[in-house]
Amino acid sequence: GTVWTASAHIITAVIGSGVLSLAWATAQLGWVAGPLVMILFSFVTYFTSTLLAACYRSGDPVNGKRNYTYMDAVRSNLGGFKVKICGWVQYLNLFGVAIGYTIASSISMMAIKRSNCFHASGGKNPCHMNSNPYMIAFGIVEIIFSQIPDFDQLWWLSIVAAVMSFTYSTIGLGLGIAKVAETGTIRGSLTGISVGTVTQTQKIWQSFQALGDIAFAYSYSLILVEIQDTLKAPPAESKTMKKATLISVGVTTLFYMLCGCMGYAAFGDLSPGNLLTGFGFYNPFWLLDIANAAIVIHLVGAYQVYCQPLFAFIEKSATERFPDSEFITKDIKIPIPGFRPYNLNLFRLVWRTIFVIITTLISMLLPFFNDIVGLLGALGFWPLTVYFPVEMYISQKKIPKWSTRWVCLQILSIACLFITIAAAAGSIAGVVLDLKSIKPFATVY
């Protein structure tokens, strides 16, 4: 892999469905805090990603022992109980992302159907529909794609997904600009959604949730080491990764600022939770269809980029525990005319299929996009993006306790912990509210 393939993997992972909730997040925080928080998150993400990239090899940055996964890096640098905590947080987060992406893709598929239904009826038909068939369809596609054996064989899917993420983000941005041009007014206020539109308590909870949404939009640390493992050396992988991180975080931040701010300028306090499916826009309906189709294609790829580390971990653990089991270790070669034979592994087929079925069922139980996105962002942000990279860097560079560098790194970590707690609280409050008004498996939009 090179700087460009790594950047494609990162952009695929980062510019995900998170971008669609940024207009809503900006609306909660306002014109001052909204962009400021986005820039702050981008700096923190870039800085901690460079710390994490430096931990890919233990000892010498060029010839030291490789750490193939995030958990390996924690094991080499910190060891002990922290490895287990890291594993639980990382793999639960990957599992959560799979659920979030299933929900987001079904909402986009329904948005295509609804925009065409709206168009056909001239806006007279409310076009209600059930989300379950769309989630099941997405699950079936993921069962097929999840049989791709390894992360390094996903490069083509990553590039397609990265192109798609630019497509729908650009359409969202373009529609926002067009809406501002059409009305001739930039909506919104310096402090965000006004008390009166929502209660004081709602304002506080939703502002906290907005932090979670922005954190989710930036989080990719949980697969950074796995992406770094695809790079060729020389030059040292950490050097290449730092360049790729700078490029992708820069591109992402520019996009996020534009999408979040233009969406807020277009809709003000009424910014929808999902810019392209919250029906802020109705026309041109064919352009919305293209954008939502691009979201679905992108999420098919992003789901795989996020789940491959989890798949690899379970399969490696199973092989180590049952080395003599043919069900787990034996590959059946299936000839494909014109291509290399495909290695079918029965354990991989069965366990990955069960995994996709479980994520689809949970998505059908909890089909609310915004709160789940905020909760995932909150839960993964501090431990994986900040705490472990900071602790590993301190350990690797042997930074003395209470030195200026040590104190600064700890202040950064504690500040991010407070942000995570606030964001998680806001999102949980949102989920509790949603659960009051929803029947499991019977969600109609």
Side-chain angles (χ1 to χ4, degrees):
T2 61
V3 169
W4 298 110
T5 61
S7 301
H9 278 315
I10 296 171
I11 288 168
T12 301
V14 182
I15 304 188
S17 50
V19 68
L20 302 171
S21 63
L22 289 178
W24 181 88
T26 311
Q28 309 314 308
L29 300 168
W31 278 119
V32 179
L36 202 65
V37 168
M38 276 193 248
I39 289 172
L40 213 68
F41 270 103
S42 71
F43 274 122
V44 170
T45 305
Y46 171 68
F47 177 66
T48 57
S49 297
T50 59
L51 300 187
L52 187 55
C55 299
Y56 175 66
R57 285 183 185 268
S58 300
D60 183 69
V62 180
N63 303 312
K65 181 176 106 36
R66 286 166 180 263
N67 297 307
Y68 297 104
T69 64
Y70 199 129
M71 267 178 85
D72 288 345
V74 175
R75 191 176 288 113
S76 299
N77 291 289
L78 301 174
F81 186 57
K82 286 182 179 174
V83 180
K84 282 189 174 164
I85 296 173
C86 166
W88 275 106
V89 174
Q90 185 187 8
Y91 294 124
L92 273 172
N93 219 281
L94 292 171
F95 181 66
V97 167
I99 294 164
Y101 281 1
T102 306
I103 296 167
S105 65
S106 74
I107 291 173
S108 287
M109 286 188 258
M110 287 194 303
I112 295 174
K113 189 97 190 284
R114 281 183 76 185
S115 84
N116 293 339
C117 164
F118 261 75
H119 186 72
S121 69
K124 295 185 181 73
N125 184 345
C127 302
H128 291 306
M129 59 190 68
N130 192 319
S131 59
N132 293 347
Y134 299 95
M135 291 191 190
I136 292 165
F138 183 78
I140 291 166
V141 172
E142 288 306 341
I143 287 172
I144 296 164
F145 274 111
S146 65
Q147 295 311 312
I148 296 172
D150 296 311
F151 202 64
D152 56 347
Q153 292 166 18
L154 277 176
W155 62 270
W156 60 274
L157 197 57
S158 256
I159 288 169
V160 170
V163 170
M164 290 298 149
S165 61
F166 277 121
T167 305
Y168 67 72
S169 303
T170 310
I171 291 173
L173 174 63
L175 288 170
I177 293 169
K179 181 98 175 169
V180 171
E182 183 192 324
T183 55
T185 52
I186 291 176
R187 295 184 181 174
S189 64
L190 295 179
T191 54
I193 197 162
S194 45
V195 176
T197 314
V198 291
T199 63
Q200 183 71 51
T201 319
Q202 279 176 316
K203 165 85 176 163
I204 293 166
W205 286 128
Q206 288 179 358
S207 298
F208 286 167
Q209 193 189 322
L211 295 176
D213 283 4
I214 295 171
F216 178 78
Y218 275 108
S219 66
Y220 73 97
S221 297
L222 64 172
I223 54 168
L224 182 140
V225 179
E226 282 83 349
I227 292 173
Q228 193 166 347
D229 192 41
T230 64
L231 297 176
K232 65 179 177 195
E237 296 90 347
S238 55
K239 269 190 177 173
T240 310
M241 199 64 193
K242 280 176 187 172
K243 275 187 198 162
T245 301
L246 184 62
I247 292 166
S248 40
V249 172
V251 168
T252 306
T253 305
L254 177 68
F255 242 79
Y256 282 2
M257 294 289 284
L258 288 169
C259 286
C261 295
M262 287 316 300
Y264 183 39
F267 297 109
D269 284 0
L270 300 175
S271 296
N274 184 326
L275 192 59
L276 291 171
T277 62
F279 283 87
F281 302 112
Y282 293 96
N283 285 310
F285 80 105
W286 54 269
L287 192 60
L288 278 177
D289 290 355
I290 292 170
N292 281 304
I295 292 173
V296 176
I297 296 167
H298 171 251
L299 291 177
V300 167
Y303 185 103
Q304 290 304 321
V305 169
Y306 270 99
C307 289
Q308 282 292 340
L310 177 56
F311 292 160
F313 171 70
I314 297 287
E315 283 151 29
K316 187 181 165 197
S317 305
T319 310
E320 284 169 2
R321 187 162 288 189
F322 307 106
D324 303 324
S325 164
E326 284 207 344
F327 174 65
I328 290 171
T329 55
K330 191 181 176 193
D331 282 350
I332 302 163
K333 290 203 180 295
I334 298 175
I336 302 170
F339 293 94
R340 283 184 305 182
Y342 175 75
N343 291 334
L344 176 72
N345 178 294
L346 288 177
F347 174 66
R348 185 173 68 223
L349 176 68
V350 172
W351 118 255
R352 292 189 183 188
T353 303
I354 291 169
F355 173 86
V356 176
I357 290 169
I358 291 170
T359 57
T360 307
L361 284 172
I362 296 174
S363 307
M364 287 155 74
L365 274 169
L366 303 169
F368 13 87
F369 174 73
N370 245 39
D371 304 322
I372 297 290
V373 159
L375 190 56
L376 287 172
L379 295 178
F381 178 69
W382 178 69
L384 297 171
T385 305
V386 184
Y387 175 75
F388 283 118
V390 164
E391 291 299 311
M392 286 194 286
Y393 185 75
I394 288 172
S395 160
Q396 194 182 42
K397 299 290 182 207
K398 298 183 174 52
I399 296 169
K401 225 176 190 179
W402 304 112
S403 65
T404 312
R405 269 173 92 190
W406 186 89
V407 170
C408 289
L409 287 167
Q410 295 299 347
I411 289 170
L412 171 72
S413 185
I414 290 163
C416 291
L417 172 61
F418 285 130
I419 290 171
T420 286
I421 292 167
S427 301
I428 290 166
V431 169
V432 170
L433 268 178
D434 285 335
L435 283 170
K436 285 179 184 169
S437 62
I438 222 154
K439 288 192 184 92
F441 298 118
T443 309
V444 175
Y445 285 88

